[in-house]
Amino acid sequence: MTKPVFLYDGDCAFCTLCADFLERRVRTGAEVKPWQWDDLDALGIEQQAAEDAVQWIEPGFVKAGPDAIAVLLRRAQWYWKPLGWIASLKPVSWVLWPIYR
């Protein structure tokens, strides 16, 4: 893996719509892919984890759900970074998980 990967559920219409938005509007240098089209074993991700939540994967670092989205935003253009940092704060991330579900 040469660059980070952001996995989403390609069978979910909402997830696909959001991933399309990310690819068009949020430049991170990551590959944004449906987990169904990638080699999960090579990425070190179990299928159940990919089914449960989006995944941000880079060597030695994996985040899921809203934590993965926060990393993606922190790695994007300057105007997305504040949202990523806010979403990473513990009280905020605790609230985001139930909303994400």
Side-chain angles (χ1 to χ4, degrees):
M1 176 171 41
T2 59
K3 58 184 179 177
V5 176
F6 185 80
L7 295 179
Y8 67 94
D9 185 351
D11 290 335
C12 168
F14 179 73
C15 300
T16 302
L17 181 67
C18 292
D20 289 343
F21 175 83
L22 291 174
E23 288 184 298
R24 284 184 280 119
R25 304 280 186 216
V26 184
R27 292 187 309 269
T28 65
E31 294 182 57
V32 178
K33 304 181 193 180
W35 68 261
Q36 293 91 338
W37 298 352
D38 214 332
D39 183 356
L40 298 180
D41 289 334
L43 294 172
I45 299 294
E46 294 185 14
Q47 182 174 336
Q48 187 62 52
E51 289 176 4
D52 289 345
V54 295
Q55 304 286 318
W56 177 273
I57 307 151
E58 55 185 89
F61 185 76
V62 175
K63 291 288 184 177
D67 298 331
I69 296 166
V71 172
L72 179 135
L73 293 172
R74 290 193 325 255
R75 303 280 170 82
Q77 303 97 311
W78 67 270
Y79 44 88
W80 292 110
K81 290 180 189 297
L83 291 174
W85 286 111
I86 291 168
S88 297
L89 297 173
K90 286 298 175 209
V92 176
S93 70
W94 294 335
V95 171
L96 290 177
W97 267 103
I99 294 169
Y100 177 82
R101 295 276 176 216

